[in-house]
Amino acid sequence: MDSGVIVGNTNSEPRDDMEFESHEAAYAFYKEYAKSVGFGTAKLSSRRSRASKEFIDAKFSCIRYGNKQQSDDAINPRPSPKIGCKASMHVKRRASGKWYIHSLIKEHNHELLPAQAHFFRSHRNVDFLKNDAKIRRRKILAAVSKQYGAYQYTGSLETYIRSQHDRGRFLTLEEGDAQFLLDFFVHMQEQNPKFFYAVDLNEEHRLRNVFWVDAKGMDDYTNFGDVVSFDTTYFMRKYKIPLVLFVGVNHHIQPTLLGSALIADETVYTFLWLLQTWCLSMGGRAPRVILTDQSNALKAAIGVVFPDSRHCFSLWSVLEKIPQHLDYLSMWHDNFREKFSKCIYRSWTEEQFEKRWWKLLNRFNLREDEWVQSLYEDRKLWVPTFMRDISFAGLSTGSRSECLSSYFDKYVLGETCLRDFIEQYKVILEDRYEEEAKAEFDAWHEASELKSPSPFEKQMSLIYTHEIFKKFQVEILGAAACHLKKEKDGTTIIYAVKDFEDNQDFTVEWNESKPDIYCSCRLFEYNGYLCRHAIVVLQMSGVFSIPFKYILQRWTNAATSKHAISERLDEIQSKVRRYNDLCRRAIILGEEGSLSQESYSIAVNAIKEALKQCASVNNSTENHLRLSTSPTPICGPEEGNHSIATSSKEQAPNLKMAVSNIGYRGGEFGKEKANNDNDANKQRKAPSEPGAVNVGIQGSFQQMELSTLRPPQLHDLVPAHLHNRTLRVCASELCHI
């Protein structure tokens, strides 16, 4: 909770014997009282003496005092908080000049929100000695102004930021949808306590943004969190539900749903809240690569929340916009697309790209086109030429239909309403579980079929999953249609490779000493396995096994193992064989052991004893290796204190949990969680989340204070109202959304 909030201070309660030096002092007291109790204030009225012209009477009230007065034909009615509350304090001036409380009404006709009091307009600008909101705001404006300077933002940034959260934006839902959503969250948590959800309310306590993710999504991110696609397609295309998705890909090339959200708008504020909340749900670990649509707001938010992640635009999202932005080129459309594709796909170096880009713009007179200018400014975020030392794991494709995110298109249609989508969401989870389970079963019970005598094919048949191996196998067979020619000798050898199947020429760089190999087709960068052009170069160079660095663990049968794959590939193959054999035997044991209680007890005891003995053998082996390979220290004690290296045994930052009950009309909505899941405290490497974000855990919202995780740059850049914020939802407040 914010340090400036007064909680439970009995001295702040109004009393009949109180006196004040002025009506302003009385109002200041009433504001402090209101802040401690949890409501906003307003100056309702005041009156001056006709003789002395001095104030003699003033009345202050709750911000919900009175009733909304709005003409029925108002073109753009503003949201009003007035709901007929009578709470107020009336003060008058004595002859001595002192002010006293003439009348006081404490009762309210609505819920009080002490934890959220700092959101009310009347409590924002307070004494900086009691609350550092002003100081934080100056830091925010300075830092974000610098951030926006790179995006050629014009106008008052302070006005821009204020406009994003003072207009009362909220989700446009049908009647009863908000309650339906909350009931769904409660049901999901009853099914699995690890289900995570969070809500964002606007100033009028109306639902603005909602995020949720199931336990499977969090587990998938642990294993496959290297590349994440933040898909805003349904929101941008104005679907009935403003849905955005966090999508990943597992080792069977199947999409994983890493989170879902409903958002009110596409502002920096919304994306900041959503990205930080998602990061919180994933234990604070940032992705290596995050793919998004082309958006300045997203670019700014990701730069703040994930400063160390590689942010890229999805290639298909850029190519899809060409007809929309360049429709006036229709008469040259085919020719333009051909030249454009050659520029972005066939440019081997940055110099080639620059030359072809400006030639293209001059030919089609596009130098003054603003969208084309923005593409060039963001070229390092989407042009394949700049995508070295990166892997998209198949999530960045040239068309939407090829993208794994399109998997969800069959569940979400333009007219799908919220209730229908929630039902479809359950179907999505069921389908995903079934499809992944089938792929896992096939990996255990079916051996990959070899189609050539290639040593590369044999090597990877026991390492890659079936789906990846089939794709890699296509490259193995395609290598027979490639002819190479050495173009440049030296430490790094450059080959020109002619692919007769595609009738295209490619360039391959090979450095045997590192070993590094890079092909201009960029198959490894976009799909995560080596191409036929690289394979033929390795083969002609006398290398008959794939270098270890080009075998991504995420594509192997050991993708979900907690241990990293060894550089000795024969050990990997042996381990996979042993693993598959044990899985088959475990299935047989499960079938036999479940036939009776007696056989079940025998199987369980045998498993426990075997597990104990295996752990003892493995720990003994690890200790022996550790003693025989202990490294020599390379720094003294003082230098060691500055090491940034981490290990799984280091203490993770403590996530303090403070439970906040939720009022629920018709029954108790909140139950305190007895035991926090240890998964939430696993050490992650990532920027921090908001100072306090309310999340749903077992039917209650829990405030997670993460001050120990917040790096200075994030604390300065996140809007002040995101710090130490507490979200608490009452059904009575949401039922009218």
Side-chain angles (χ1 to χ4, degrees):
M1 185 173 293
D2 195 86
S3 59
V5 179
I6 304 172
V7 181
N9 187 350
T10 56
N11 293 330
S12 66
E13 290 281 337
R15 301 188 307 274
D16 293 338
D17 61 343
M18 281 186 167
E19 288 189 338
F20 309 95
E21 293 296 327
S22 65
H23 72 287
E24 291 293 345
Y27 181 58
F29 165 79
Y30 190 64
K31 282 176 61 177
E32 288 292 338
Y33 162 69
K35 192 172 184 180
S36 68
V37 175
F39 65 94
T41 63
K43 293 180 180 179
L44 190 62
S45 63
S46 61
R47 186 164 58 91
R48 295 176 183 267
S49 167
R50 293 183 179 179
S52 64
K53 305 299 181 184
E54 294 180 345
F55 285 103
I56 58 173
D57 184 285
K59 189 172 184 179
F60 320 121
S61 69
C62 170
I63 196 172
R64 291 176 174 260
Y65 184 94
N67 296 302
K68 178 181 178 181
Q69 295 181 355
Q70 185 83 47
S71 60
D72 295 334
D73 59 347
I75 297 175
N76 187 22
R78 296 181 60 186
S80 172
K82 297 182 178 181
I83 57 172
C85 181
K86 300 294 184 182
S88 60
M89 186 174 80
H90 189 182
V91 295
K92 289 191 174 185
R93 183 173 179 268
R94 301 183 189 275
S96 62
K98 300 289 186 180
W99 289 72
Y100 69 98
I101 299 176
H102 175 70
S103 64
L104 176 69
I105 300 177
K106 292 184 178 181
E107 294 74 24
H108 297 259
N109 67 347
H110 55 89
E111 186 186 24
L112 301 177
L113 306 170
Q116 293 176 251
H118 54 286
F119 291 148
F120 291 110
R121 197 187 308 273
S122 57
H123 303 319
R124 287 182 181 175
N125 297 320
V126 295
D127 188 350
F128 69 91
L129 293 176
K130 296 182 179 180
N131 191 322
D132 63 345
K134 286 186 177 181
I135 297 175
R136 290 201 305 262
R137 188 170 185 81
R138 282 197 293 269
K139 291 181 178 179
I140 294 161
L141 294 176
V144 182
S145 293
K146 182 178 180 180
Q147 179 85 6
Y148 267 88
Y151 311 137
Q152 297 182 342
Y153 176 77
T154 58
S156 169
L157 181 62
E158 185 170 3
T159 302
Y160 176 82
I161 292 178
R162 185 183 296 123
S163 70
Q164 296 186 57
H165 50 265
D166 282 359
R167 292 179 180 174
R169 289 188 176 94
F170 55 89
L171 284 175
T172 303
L173 302 176
E174 295 179 0
E175 184 177 357
D177 277 357
Q179 184 61 56
F180 180 81
L181 200 58
L182 283 179
D183 292 342
F184 165 69
F185 291 157
V186 174
H187 171 73
M188 292 298 289
Q189 283 191 333
E190 289 174 351
Q191 298 294 318
N192 192 324
K194 290 185 178 181
F195 182 86
F196 180 105
Y197 69 96
V199 301
D200 174 35
L201 305 180
N202 68 8
E203 246 183 19
E204 312 302 333
H205 313 296
R206 305 187 73 174
L207 201 58
R208 176 163 47 192
N209 302 304
V210 185
F211 169 79
W212 71 93
V213 60
D214 73 319
K216 181 65 166 59
M218 289 183 272
D219 289 341
D220 283 340
Y221 184 75
T222 301
N223 299 316
F224 309 107
D226 52 342
V227 187
V228 174
S229 173
F230 179 53
D231 192 347
T232 57
T233 301
Y234 306 125
F235 180 85
M236 296 300 182
R237 292 181 179 178
K238 309 299 181 185
Y239 277 36
K240 190 170 184 178
I241 53 171
L243 177 69
V244 296
L245 301 174
F246 291 89
V247 179
V249 56
N250 67 12
H251 52 322
H252 301 297
I253 324 181
Q254 298 170 334
T256 58
L257 188 55
L258 307 178
S260 309
L262 302 176
I263 59 176
D265 51 45
E266 50 185 313
T267 59
V268 176
Y269 167 83
T270 289
F271 290 137
L272 276 172
W273 179 87
L274 181 56
L275 292 173
Q276 290 180 88
T277 304
W278 176 74
C279 186
L280 172 65
S281 72
M282 298 302 162
R285 174 187 165 201
R288 294 180 186 174
V289 180
I290 183 166
L291 290 157
T292 71
D293 190 12
Q294 183 187 16
S295 164
N296 279 346
L298 268 172
K299 189 163 60 171
I302 289 174
V304 172
V305 183
F306 301 129
D308 297 324
S309 297
R310 180 79 176 268
H311 177 211
C312 299
F313 296 152
S314 298
L315 188 56
W316 70 264
S317 69
V318 175
L319 301 180
E320 189 182 59
K321 292 183 173 68
I322 292 178
Q324 173 188 347
H325 289 278
L326 303 179
D327 56 344
Y328 56 88
L329 292 177
S330 57
M331 65 181 65
W332 305 297
H333 181 69
D334 292 339
N335 192 23
F336 174 79
R337 288 294 290 260
E338 179 184 348
K339 300 295 182 183
F340 186 81
S341 296
K342 181 179 180 181
C343 176
I344 65 172
Y345 287 122
R346 309 292 297 155
S347 296
W348 168 244
T349 64
E350 295 183 24
E351 291 75 16
Q352 281 185 343
F353 169 78
E354 293 282 342
K355 181 179 179 181
R356 289 173 176 170
W357 179 266
W358 294 113
K359 183 179 179 180
L360 178 72
L361 266 57
N362 290 332
R363 178 169 181 175
F364 293 95
N365 195 25
L366 294 174
R367 279 183 174 267
E368 303 303 321
D369 188 285
E370 292 184 4
W371 181 70
V372 174
Q373 290 176 2
S374 71
L375 287 183
Y376 179 75
E377 292 168 3
D378 294 330
R379 61 193 180 280
K380 293 185 179 180
L381 301 183
W382 67 275
V383 177
T385 307
F386 300 91
M387 301 303 160
R388 298 189 74 154
D389 304 318
I390 194 172
S391 177
F392 293 122
L395 283 176
S396 183
T397 60
S399 67
R400 167 76 180 177
S401 61
E402 297 173 346
C403 183
L404 286 176
S405 297
S406 65
Y407 169 88
F408 302 100
D409 292 351
K410 60 185 177 182
Y411 302 98
V412 185
L413 304 177
E415 295 303 316
T416 301
C417 65
L418 178 63
R419 292 172 186 256
D420 289 342
F421 170 71
I422 293 301
E423 294 303 318
Q424 288 288 64
Y425 177 80
K426 299 174 184 177
V427 176
I428 291 173
L429 298 185
E430 292 172 359
D431 289 351
R432 288 296 313 112
Y433 296 155
E434 182 177 351
E435 290 168 9
E436 183 173 347
K438 184 180 183 304
E440 288 288 330
F441 182 86
D442 291 343
W444 293 347
H445 294 82
E446 295 181 7
S448 299
E449 178 186 358
L450 299 180
K451 296 183 178 181
S452 76
S454 168
F456 302 110
E457 184 182 15
K458 184 177 181 180
Q459 172 195 3
M460 304 311 297
S461 64
L462 292 173
I463 298 176
Y464 279 153
T465 60
H466 286 348
E467 290 73 15
I468 283 293
F469 178 71
K470 289 175 183 177
K471 291 183 176 292
F472 178 72
Q473 202 170 43
V474 172
E475 300 305 311
I476 291 290
L477 299 177
C482 295
H483 174 75
L484 61 82
K485 178 182 178 182
K486 186 182 293 186
E487 293 284 326
K488 182 180 178 181
D489 216 336
T491 305
T492 299
I493 306 173
I494 299 179
Y495 292 92
V497 179
K498 177 72 174 180
D499 190 333
F500 289 97
E501 182 177 339
D502 295 334
N503 195 29
Q504 292 187 21
D505 297 316
F506 298 93
T507 303
V508 178
E509 290 182 358
W510 166 240
N511 186 322
E512 188 173 1
S513 60
K514 290 188 176 180
D516 282 344
I517 193 163
Y518 178 72
C519 179
S520 60
C521 77
R522 303 177 185 86
L523 184 70
F524 181 79
E525 285 72 19
Y526 278 86
N527 289 351
Y529 51 87
L530 285 183
C531 62
R532 61 190 66 183
H533 319 115
I535 289 171
V536 73
V537 168
L538 291 176
Q539 186 172 322
M540 295 301 294
S541 301
V543 178
F544 299 106
S545 63
I546 303 296
F548 172 72
K549 65 169 64 176
Y550 295 105
I551 303 175
L552 301 184
Q553 180 161 339
R554 64 152 16 264
W555 292 142
T556 70
N557 288 306
T560 58
S561 172
K562 62 181 179 180
H563 301 292
I565 58 177
S566 168
E567 290 196 22
R568 297 184 62 182
L569 296 179
D570 55 339
E571 291 184 3
I572 301 175
Q573 294 169 340
S574 298
K575 180 180 177 181
V576 171
R577 291 192 190 97
R578 294 193 297 267
Y579 176 81
N580 290 340
D581 183 62
L582 286 173
C583 287
R584 295 187 187 98
R585 293 175 185 271
I587 292 174
I588 297 173
L589 178 62
E591 292 174 350
E592 291 292 330
S594 62
L595 295 179
S596 68
Q597 183 61 42
E598 183 179 0
S599 62
Y600 171 77
S601 299
I602 293 173
V604 170
N605 292 332
I607 290 173
K608 289 181 178 179
E609 182 62 26
L611 185 61
K612 181 179 179 181
Q613 293 183 21
C614 289
S616 177
V617 170
N618 292 334
N619 290 336
S620 176
T621 302
E622 289 180 3
N623 291 335
H624 176 72
L625 290 174
R626 188 179 300 111
L627 290 173
S628 61
T629 60
S630 298
T632 303
I634 59 174
C635 64
E638 293 184 0
E639 293 176 326
N641 292 335
H642 297 283
S643 173
I644 61 173
T646 60
S647 69
S648 59
K649 294 183 179 180
E650 290 180 310
Q651 290 186 352
N654 183 33
L655 304 182
K656 300 178 181 179
M657 313 288 284
V659 179
S660 173
N661 292 330
I662 301 173
Y664 181 73
R665 182 176 295 174
E668 183 183 3
F669 181 60
K671 292 182 180 180
E672 293 189 2
K673 182 172 182 173
N675 297 311
N676 295 328
D677 297 307
N678 292 332
D679 292 344
N681 290 324
K682 289 182 179 178
Q683 182 175 358
R684 312 283 183 146
K685 293 182 180 180
S688 172
E689 300 74 29
V693 176
N694 279 352
V695 297
I697 302 290
Q698 281 195 348
S700 68
F701 279 93
Q702 298 193 358
Q703 179 184 355
M704 307 182 73
E705 297 183 338
L706 303 164
S707 58
T708 58
L709 287 177
R710 184 184 301 114
Q713 68 272 23
L714 183 58
H715 184 272
D716 293 342
L717 285 169
V718 176
H721 56 281
L722 280 178
H723 292 296
N724 302 321
R725 71 177 303 175
T726 305
L727 306 179
R728 191 159 152 258
V729 179
C730 174
S732 62
E733 291 181 332
L734 293 179
C735 64
H736 64 85
I737 297 175

